[in-house]
Every structure is written in structure tokens, then in C-alpha cells.
Amino acid sequence: MKSNIYIQDNFFEDNFFKKLQEEVVRLEFKSRYKYISETQKEQSPLQTKYQRTYHHVQLPLDSPVVEQTIYNIKEFFNYSISNIESNFLLSFPNTPPFPHQDALCTHNCLIYLVGDSLTNNGTGFFEKQGEDLNLHTHIGFKQNRAIFFDSKLWHSHLQFGGNATPRYVMANFIDVGLDEK
């Protein structure tokens, strides 16, 4: 299993990205917490508690941004996609960190869309040491930056650390094809 973290700045072409930014800030985002079943809330109260601060718009597979993302992942990271679920997410500062793994996919491609270029608007990656999770990689927010990583890596937003603002991202939950390198 690859556990590398890949970073690609200027993931989308400039004109495409500017149009995408204009579109994403006009969308109506819905609370993710609303869509979590009562069973999930009972089974994972800590995990679902923090979904209150996330708002999302699910993207259809045939949307231009999803198609371009699939193409760019192959181009920049040399992975073929066998399945993808894409969402725009809006999150806010001052929520506790929530290190987690994305269990229902093999990889994640997180793309920073709109927000202030601040370290604490970014994403942290954690290592498990005994029962503790310790921050080992801190990737700051930069618009049009993509982070591609194995979904089994523990990760969290960093908006809990102060000096953060709301941010819009595109989260892509991915299963890669057999021809990955």
C-alpha cells in the first residue's frame, strides 16, 4: 500500500479554476449532519458530532469538474480512477480537530478552492503512536492546490489551531484502478 502524500499546485488550468471559484461560492451548501442516519449517530457519536460544521454539495459524476479531476489525477499523479465520489465542502474555523481515515475508498484527492492562504486553513496528517495520534505533516491552504493521499492515512482539517477562516474545498473519495504505479 502506498502511503505517500502528493501535492500539486495549479491543479486546474487558470480560466477553468476562476470559473469554478465563481460557481462554488454561489451554491447552496447543506449541513452534512442532516444526512447522517440515526444509526450512524448512535454508532459513532464522536465522528458524527463534528459533521455539524461541514456543509456540502454532492457532484454528479458527469460534471465537468469531476471529469477534469479524473483527468488531472491521471496526468499529475499517474493513477487511474475506477470509482469516484466528489463533493464541494464548506467548513468553518474553531472546531476541534478530528483525525480520521476515509474507510470507504482507497484514496482521497482534496483540492483547495476558495479561502485565505493560511497554514491553519490547511490539512494535517497524523501518525498513530500507541493510543495517541500525533501531527506529523502540516499542509497549508493555497487555492488550486490538490493533495492526493492514501485514504488510510489519518488526517484532519487544521482550522482548530486559530488564525483560520472559512474554506471551500473539493473532496474526492476515490478507488484507483489496477494500473496504478
Side-chain angles (χ1 to χ4, degrees):
M1 168 175 72
K2 288 186 178 181
S3 59
N4 295 336
I5 301 168
Y6 302 96
I7 300 170
Q8 178 64 49
D9 289 338
N10 304 311
F11 185 73
F12 294 118
E13 182 273 324
D14 284 343
N15 289 333
F16 183 89
F17 185 67
K18 286 181 173 95
K19 289 177 188 172
L20 178 59
Q21 286 181 303
E22 291 169 4
E23 178 185 322
V24 75
V25 297
R26 290 193 307 258
L27 294 171
E28 182 179 334
F29 285 75
K30 298 178 180 174
S31 172
R32 288 172 61 97
Y33 188 77
K34 178 180 174 183
Y35 298 96
I36 298 171
S37 72
E38 290 304 317
T39 303
Q40 287 173 302
K41 290 175 186 174
E42 290 171 13
Q43 291 175 347
S44 302
L46 183 62
Q47 181 177 2
T48 57
K49 173 183 172 183
Y50 297 117
Q51 294 300 323
R52 293 177 192 268
T53 62
Y54 284 95
H55 298 76
H56 80 285
V57 172
Q58 189 165 2
L59 298 167
L61 190 57
D62 63 351
S63 71
V65 68
V66 174
E67 291 175 347
Q68 188 64 52
T69 298
I70 292 169
Y71 177 84
N72 288 0
I73 287 170
K74 178 65 175 167
E75 188 73 16
F76 291 124
F77 306 122
N78 202 25
Y79 280 83
S80 295
I81 306 301
S82 63
N83 188 42
I84 187 168
E85 179 186 315
S86 300
N87 296 274
F88 290 139
L89 298 177
L90 169 60
S91 61
F92 299 92
N94 301 321
T95 58
F98 181 63
H100 64 281
Q101 299 169 306
D102 296 319
L104 300 177
C105 59
T106 63
H107 290 77
N108 189 318
C109 184
L110 185 65
I111 306 164
Y112 298 145
L113 301 176
V114 179
D116 293 331
S117 293
L118 301 168
T119 300
N120 287 351
N121 268 2
T123 304
F125 291 88
F126 297 77
E127 287 181 325
K128 193 162 188 134
Q129 296 176 337
E131 294 299 312
D132 297 327
L133 288 169
N134 296 311
L135 182 66
H136 75 76
T137 302
H138 195 159
I139 300 173
F141 185 99
K142 181 180 178 186
Q143 294 182 144
N144 206 10
R145 171 177 283 168
I147 306 168
F148 185 85
F149 56 95
D150 185 296
S151 64
K152 303 306 180 257
L153 293 175
W154 291 89
H155 59 282
S156 176
H157 69 88
L158 294 172
Q159 292 170 292
F160 65 88
N163 193 30
T165 59
R167 71 178 195 177
Y168 293 87
V169 302
M170 182 179 177
N172 299 279
F173 304 100
I174 297 164
D175 290 319
V176 297
L178 296 176
D179 63 340
E180 68 169 275
K181 292 191 177 186

